[in-house]
Amino acid sequence: MCIRDSHHLGLHGIALSQSTATAHTYSALRPAQLSSALDAVPRLVAPYACETSAQQDQMLALHLAQPDSTMYHMCSAQWYSGAIDAAAFERALQAVVRRQDGLRTRFLNAGSKYYQEVLSWNAVRSAAVVVEDRDDKTKAAAQAEVVARAVEPFRLTQGLLFAALLYTVSPALCALLLRLHHSVSDGVSQAIIQEEAAQHYIAYKAGEELALPAPRQYSCLLYTSDAADDMQC
């Protein structure tokens, strides 16, 4: 896990929308013939269920054997200082979770096999984005709490695989912890979440709404992952 300091919001990460960043990533890593296959995957409306990928099955098997393992944790923390609008920050994080259906995913057991369910925003809003007031703590004490939360094991079969926790230490200081499991995210995902949250925050602070291009749907990325494995790329 990395913990960084930032003196202003919106200048970190990559200045790409999710759909653009994903397209660039997969054009570099996946065969060109996947493009038409991706376009053919039907767009689904949450809640919906889909099969797990081969990689996810491997991660689930490890989790069942070692439930306290942190091997596939992808957590990052960022400190922000200045005139922080916590309400706008919370709203920005909620906007990202509404857009990105992979952040609303959980695994369910169907007898001998697991599958994954993408939940609606209303079903996850209280668990996916949590704001906690820590004005009774110093920055060092709050940072220790952030680290402790970051290494808590995911319960893959009992809850979401993503959470954004915003700790407000003072009106001018807060920490954002992003907890993701690798079964639904990667390093590019973290940069996208941070950048989209920053863009929404800036818009909300200005009293505006942000219109971003529709993201590539999570079910498409699952298809891409398994198809790439089949092609041995």
Side-chain angles (χ1 to χ4, degrees):
M1 188 192 76
C2 63
I3 298 179
R4 297 178 295 177
D5 283 289
S6 177
H7 297 293
H8 49 275
L9 189 65
L11 297 182
H12 63 277
I14 52 176
L16 296 172
S17 70
Q18 195 275 353
S19 55
T20 305
T22 300
H24 285 193
T25 301
Y26 278 96
S27 66
L29 299 179
R30 308 302 190 197
Q33 58 265 44
L34 280 179
S35 178
S36 59
L38 282 175
D39 293 336
V41 175
R43 190 163 190 86
L44 305 174
V45 178
Y48 65 85
C50 52
E51 294 185 357
T52 54
S53 69
Q55 296 96 324
Q56 288 174 323
D57 287 339
Q58 294 173 359
M59 295 180 198
L60 277 164
L62 174 65
H63 173 75
L64 294 174
Q66 303 177 30
D68 293 329
S69 173
T70 60
M71 179 179 296
Y72 289 112
H73 281 206
M74 300 189 64
C75 300
S76 65
Q78 180 89 42
W79 282 97
Y80 297 101
S81 59
I84 305 297
D85 185 336
F89 211 155
E90 179 181 13
R91 187 181 171 197
L93 293 167
Q94 291 173 342
V96 176
V97 179
R98 284 196 302 269
R99 271 176 51 79
Q100 308 289 355
D101 49 0
L103 302 181
R104 294 181 269 109
T105 302
R106 65 178 179 178
F107 291 122
L108 297 176
N109 190 327
S112 61
K113 180 172 173 56
Y114 284 89
Y115 68 96
Q116 53 195 322
E117 181 182 23
V118 176
L119 301 169
S120 67
W121 161 243
N122 286 334
V124 306
R125 62 186 309 158
S126 63
V129 178
V130 178
V131 178
E132 298 185 4
D133 191 346
R134 290 293 183 267
D135 59 2
D136 60 333
K137 294 182 178 292
T138 64
K139 179 179 178 179
Q143 180 161 306
E145 185 173 338
V146 168
V147 172
R149 293 291 294 272
V151 298
E152 287 180 358
F154 281 90
R155 302 305 179 191
L156 296 191
T157 60
Q158 299 177 18
L160 293 177
L161 308 173
F162 164 82
L165 298 101
L166 182 64
Y167 295 86
T168 58
V169 179
S170 74
L173 182 66
C174 70
L176 172 62
L177 170 64
L178 297 178
R179 278 175 46 86
L180 301 97
H181 194 269
H182 191 37
S183 57
V184 295
S185 64
D186 56 16
V188 175
S189 303
Q190 289 184 316
I192 290 167
I193 293 168
Q194 292 176 341
E195 182 59 30
E196 285 195 2
Q199 292 181 45
H200 280 288
Y201 176 82
I202 292 169
Y204 293 150
K205 283 268 290 182
E208 301 172 354
E209 295 289 334
L210 182 66
L212 293 176
R216 179 75 77 182
Q217 195 173 39
Y218 176 64
S219 57
C220 288
L221 302 184
L222 290 176
Y223 177 90
T224 305
S225 178
D226 274 353
D229 282 348
D230 292 341
M231 295 177 185
Q232 298 182 347
C233 65

